[in-house]
Amino acid sequence: MDINFNINEDHNKLLSSQLKKKLKLVGLGGGKDKIAKIHSNGKMTARERIDYLFDNPAKALEIGAFAGDQMYEEQGGCPSGGVIVKMGHIGSRQCIVIANDATVKAGAWFPITAKKNLRAQEIAMENNLPIIYLVDSAGVFLPMQDEIFPDKEHFGRIFRNNAIMSSKGITQIAAVMGSCVAGGAYLPVMSDESIIVDKTGSIFLAGSYLVKAAIGELIENEKLGGATTHTEISGVCDYKAKDDKDALDIIKNIIGKIGEPKNAGFNRSKPLEPKVKVDDIYGILPKSRSDQYDMRKIIHRLVDNSEMQEYKANYGKTLICAYARIDGWAVGIVANQRKVVKNAKGEMQFGGVIYSDSADKATRFIANCNQKKIPLVFLQDVNGFMVGSKSEHSGIIKDGAKMVNAVANSVVPKFTVIIGNSYGAGNYAMCGKAYDPRLIVAWPSAELAVMGGEQAAKVLLQIETATLKKQGIKISKEKEAEILKTITERYKKQISPYYAAARLWTDAIIDPLQTRQWISYGIESANHSPIETPFNVGVIQV
């Protein structure tokens, strides 16, 4: 092992260790005191409820664990967006579960809470997965109601999706395990079946205080909308559970009787572990985001038996396109090559940059995968498309547009892993969030931005100093250095994978060693939803 390998290994293992610490902290939700209060009321926490449902909680995948991270500090914070979303198996059936975290502002909905719920519903709809709602929420966080209530992607979209999923036959089950108030009261009724826990669950459009204020009626919450009322008088709920575990057992029973879904027919053989040492990923991936490395070495540690069949290996060398298997599933991999290479003319090409020939190759490969019904995996470490007169004259915009067109119109499931850089149009061409990957995850080494930090900081410095000079303010070298430092620190924060995860630009930040599990799980989910739309790229310039 060379010294650089050891430096890289130490750096990337430290990043993974920091990730685990952050996840542990996020897992406490509103804190230990709030958890103790939940337990004292005879209730389980949101995470305990989900773990009880799943066959093997340790193998479940969490979506949006860092949602809301450092976004609502003035309001006291909103860990995980105040709602837990996980994918796991219940009675061997893959499901997605949404559970309000009552330790965070009594489960109130922040803007990011709505966005996270919608993402969970999107995953269920794309993959035809049963979806379970564990409701325990005080409703919309009123101080921010203008950011959650009226727009297309706000709170009301949840109920629209309930109706769409019902029409498509996607199973929805709701268990009311705490408060379920105001507009949120429609969610259990719009699910296929609903459960309410006696004494702790309640459903009403308006609580007792609001009822008194509105119409002068005096009534207790339990009589207004408790379990007995809704299972014996109103008929709103289908089952009355004696406690949380009883409610969760009812859900397990229902899920256990659902018929088998249609199969999309994605190819799978016996899973094999990589032949080479997977842990070496830590040493191969450079500490510096500008350093070069061979992406093939990463791929060999992600694919079964470390085997791949490269497509057009000697053409368009700054993109690697290859057929392989991950946990037995056949996949088509599109990955940025991060080392300097020579093209057929002997010209040097920069690693991590997409050239015309690379884009042309990827477009054809993506079309082939759609033709053969092979899921696509994008491994991003991209600085963007090549610029300059030579590239412009060779039609880089045209070739880039063809690749973006193919990615956008691809009908096979797409999965994106942001390994390192994810800059500018390279993010789009390599299936960024805007291009509907079924799952998109980032390694702790990832950076997402319009351009690299150093480059962007210098551009922003020029803009800021020019503005100050117009105002007649003289800029010394010391002042310029101070401005540059401020800009760099701000930009560095914005390109962090945690900044992206907080806003749900990615579904998760994962340890590199979890990559195979996420992709395999994602394809298993996608296999529940047959492809019904033919691949068609529309009009493109050739």
Side-chain angles (χ1 to χ4, degrees):
M1 297 291 181
D2 61 28
I3 188 66
N4 285 332
F5 184 97
N6 293 333
I7 291 170
N8 295 338
E9 185 177 45
D10 289 345
H11 173 73
N12 288 309
K13 283 188 174 180
L14 178 61
L15 290 180
S16 290
S17 175
Q18 290 170 345
L19 170 63
K20 288 168 187 171
K21 287 179 182 177
K22 286 177 182 286
L23 284 170
K24 190 174 181 180
L25 184 62
V26 163
L28 294 174
K32 293 181 179 179
D33 290 345
K34 295 288 179 65
I35 292 172
K37 186 177 180 181
I38 293 284
H39 289 160
S40 69
N41 291 330
K43 296 165 64 175
M44 302 165 74
T45 65
R47 291 183 180 277
E48 289 167 347
R49 289 165 176 169
I50 294 175
D51 286 351
Y52 185 83
L53 273 178
F54 287 149
D55 301 341
N56 189 343
K59 288 190 175 181
L61 304 183
E62 182 168 358
I63 306 295
F66 291 108
D69 185 47
Q70 298 183 9
M71 284 177 64
Y72 305 104
E73 298 302 302
E74 291 182 6
Q75 289 80 21
C78 187
S80 292
V83 63
I84 314 303
V85 174
K86 289 193 177 185
M87 299 170 66
H89 291 84
I90 301 173
S92 300
R93 183 63 177 263
Q94 206 171 21
C95 301
I96 188 158
V97 182
I98 303 173
N100 298 115
D101 186 352
T103 70
V104 180
K105 301 288 186 186
W109 287 59
F110 284 68
I112 198 67
T113 315
K115 187 173 182 179
K116 187 169 173 179
N117 273 265
L118 290 170
R119 176 59 180 145
Q121 289 184 322
E122 180 183 41
I123 292 171
M125 287 189 282
E126 284 180 329
N127 300 294
N128 195 28
L129 294 181
I131 185 166
I132 296 152
Y133 310 96
L134 305 181
V135 186
D136 193 347
S137 171
V140 168
F141 185 63
L142 287 177
M144 304 187 75
Q145 65 85 27
D146 61 320
E147 297 181 47
I148 189 173
F149 169 64
D151 209 347
K152 182 179 178 180
E153 301 298 332
H154 283 179
F155 191 66
R157 189 78 172 182
I158 306 288
F159 313 123
R160 175 263 186 194
N161 287 348
N162 288 144
I164 297 296
M165 281 190 279
S166 183
S167 72
K168 291 183 176 181
I170 297 171
T171 298
Q172 299 177 85
I173 301 169
V176 180
M177 312 178 87
S179 296
C180 181
V181 301
Y186 288 104
L187 189 145
V189 184
M190 296 191 74
S191 298
D192 300 336
E193 296 184 77
S194 61
I195 303 134
I196 185 167
V197 178
D198 195 22
K199 300 296 186 292
T200 57
S202 58
I203 307 172
F204 32 66
L205 293 179
S208 56
Y209 292 118
L210 189 55
V211 167
K212 181 182 178 183
I215 63 173
E217 181 183 1
L218 291 172
I219 186 168
E220 295 175 353
N221 279 338
E222 183 63 25
K223 288 185 178 179
L224 180 66
T228 300
T229 295
H230 285 312
T231 55
E232 298 180 20
I233 300 172
S234 71
V236 164
C237 292
D238 305 308
Y239 309 92
K240 180 165 74 171
K242 62 184 179 181
D243 55 26
D244 281 7
K245 285 188 177 181
D246 188 31
L248 298 170
D249 285 335
I250 292 170
I251 292 171
K252 288 183 179 184
N253 208 0
I254 295 169
I255 293 293
K257 293 177 174 59
I258 299 174
E260 287 296 315
K262 290 181 181 178
N263 193 296
F266 300 127
N267 186 291
R268 193 180 195 188
S269 62
K270 182 182 177 182
L272 296 171
E273 292 296 316
K275 269 198 305 188
V276 291
K277 190 179 176 186
V278 179
D279 288 16
D280 283 351
I281 287 175
Y282 296 124
I284 295 166
L285 190 68
K287 177 180 178 180
S288 170
R289 291 286 78 245
S290 60
D291 285 355
Q292 304 284 303
Y293 66 96
D294 189 350
M295 180 63 84
R296 288 184 184 86
K297 292 182 179 180
I298 299 289
I299 296 172
H300 288 152
R301 285 155 178 82
L302 297 179
V303 300
D304 289 15
N305 210 34
S306 301
E307 293 177 345
M308 64 176 183
Q309 181 179 328
E310 224 177 307
Y311 176 79
K312 292 185 184 288
N314 297 313
Y315 176 72
K317 293 181 180 180
T318 64
L319 274 179
I320 297 169
C321 298
Y323 298 110
R325 291 187 182 275
I326 293 179
D327 198 34
W329 295 104
V331 296
I333 295 173
V334 181
N336 302 109
Q337 175 57 291
R338 283 294 306 185
K339 70 176 185 177
V340 175
V341 295
K342 278 186 181 180
N343 64 14
K345 298 176 183 177
E347 299 166 332
M348 302 305 293
Q349 293 184 329
F350 299 107
V353 178
I354 302 175
Y355 289 77
S356 286
D357 53 356
S358 305
D360 177 66
K361 175 172 81 171
T363 301
R364 181 65 181 266
F365 181 72
I366 291 165
N368 279 337
C369 287
N370 275 273
Q371 186 85 348
K372 296 177 177 67
K373 206 159 68 172
I374 299 173
L376 285 159
V377 175
F378 293 83
L379 303 179
Q380 285 196 14
D381 195 346
V382 58
N383 291 352
F385 285 88
M386 191 57 190
V387 297
S389 60
K390 192 170 185 179
S391 291
E392 297 294 356
H393 295 169
S394 68
I396 185 66
I397 296 175
K398 180 177 64 176
D399 291 322
K402 286 192 291 186
M403 182 177 173
V404 168
N405 198 316
V407 173
N409 285 295
S410 182
V411 295
V412 295
K414 298 168 291 193
F415 303 90
T416 302
V417 182
I418 305 173
I419 289 175
N421 302 340
S422 181
Y423 298 155
N427 170 282
Y428 303 155
M430 292 295 292
C431 198
K433 184 64 181 289
Y435 290 79
D436 298 324
R438 296 292 177 97
L439 292 172
I440 176 168
V441 297
W443 289 3
S445 48
E447 292 185 356
L448 288 82
V450 171
M451 61 180 74
E454 185 179 343
Q455 183 184 2
K458 287 178 180 178
V459 172
L460 290 167
L461 175 65
Q462 290 173 9
I463 294 169
E464 193 158 334
T465 53
T467 301
L468 292 171
K469 284 175 183 177
K470 281 181 182 179
Q471 295 170 359
I473 301 172
K474 192 175 180 181
I475 307 297
S476 64
K477 286 188 177 180
E478 291 78 13
K479 180 65 175 175
E480 190 173 288
E482 184 184 329
I483 294 171
L484 179 60
K485 183 182 177 183
T486 302
I487 291 171
T488 302
E489 287 176 355
R490 183 174 69 236
Y491 200 83
K492 187 177 180 181
K493 179 182 177 182
Q494 291 176 353
I495 67 176
S496 161
Y498 294 96
Y499 190 91
R503 289 150 183 80
L504 291 174
W505 300 344
T506 61
D507 292 316
I509 304 172
I510 65 169
D511 186 294
L513 305 190
Q514 295 177 298
T515 306
R516 280 172 53 86
Q517 179 192 357
W518 273 79
I519 293 171
S520 175
Y521 211 98
I523 299 175
E524 181 189 348
S525 299
N527 203 36
H528 294 150
S529 182
I531 298 170
E532 297 175 352
T533 307
F535 176 65
N536 186 345
V537 294
V539 178
I540 57 172
Q541 288 190 351
V542 295

